[in-house]
Amino acid sequence: MKKIILDLNVTENVRLHANYVLLKLTSSSPLPEMLPGQFAGIRVDGPPTTFLRRPISINYVDRQRNEVWFLIQLAGDGTKRLGEAKQGDIINVVLPLGNGFTMPEKPSDKLLLVGGGVGTAPMLYLGEQLAKQGSKPTFLLGARSDKDLLQLEQFAAYGEVYTTTEDGSHGEKGYVTQHSILNKVNFEQIYTCGPKPMMMAVSKYAKSKGIACEVSLENMMACGIGACLCCVENTTEGHLCVCKEGPVFNINKLLWQI
């Protein structure tokens, strides 16, 4: 899929949480095709610490408004500067980057989408696209507390939403792999994104049940096009660049201890 460099206009910057913003961007021309699981390289103008583009998952694509959404965790200099963007500002992006999730051959109501922390971001667009194709996805979202669970209303528009929080303030207390829904439904496919320990636990569960599973890795990236080799992941096919060959991988290709 062709990568395009675009100057996009900020239509809205919504503060969802003290540490998260939802950045909505648009273009004067129709946005290119983007697949669930792909990401963008967002340029952050400023000091040397923000020289490299920030890899941010595509959270949602609103075709009616010609908008692409990015759910951004304010963690370092680059993301904090993006969090300060105002309506009308211009932000330069490269998109779409990487490979997306594999869509099912036929509609299903046994698809589980598991997200943790900011890893819930690509699950929204994936869920919307699955629903558009006739599937009814199930979302399982995990966070530290209820304040860290984001976009629940948007997720609910496309399927059933289940949650876990470490402090028990929303949904079931514990981790996503401890949720009771896993013992009630025989899922056919699992998609997941979030902290690596969570994805490893989800992968272990999927493998033990013989369920097909894809994970979206969040390795540290610099170039976003497979040139710098800083995001390599050891796989059954050797060392692959997550930004180019991923970020989505079938768990059978990963050499995790699962």
Side-chain angles (χ1 to χ4, degrees), residues 117-172:
V118 75
T120 61
M123 298 294 111
L124 181 61
Y125 186 35
L126 175 60
E128 187 263 351
Q129 288 294 293
L130 289 171
K132 190 175 181 179
Q133 293 185 4
S135 294
K136 186 179 180 182
T138 298
F139 300 99
L140 178 52
L141 311 176
R144 292 181 178 179
S145 71
D146 58 346
K147 296 179 181 178
D148 301 299
L149 288 168
L150 308 173
Q151 300 181 296
L152 293 184
E153 290 185 8
Q154 285 87 350
F155 279 108
Y158 305 115
E160 294 290 333
V161 179
Y162 298 89
T163 64
T164 64
T165 49
E166 294 179 25
D167 63 1
S169 56
H170 196 287
E172 296 186 11

Side-chain angles (χ1 to χ4, degrees), residues 60-76:
Y60 187 75
V61 179
D62 187 333
R63 288 294 173 188
Q64 288 188 334
R65 296 175 61 87
N66 196 42
E67 287 181 341
V68 57
W69 297 5
F70 297 101
L71 179 63
I72 300 174
Q73 182 177 17
L74 309 179

Side-chain angles (χ1 to χ4, degrees), residues 1 3 9-10 17 21 27 46-47 97 100 102 150 159 208 212 225 232 247:
M1 187 176 291
K3 304 172 183 63
N9 292 286
V10 177
H17 177 282
V21 298
S27 172
L97 297 175
T102 302
L150 308 173
S208 70
I225 57 174
V232 293

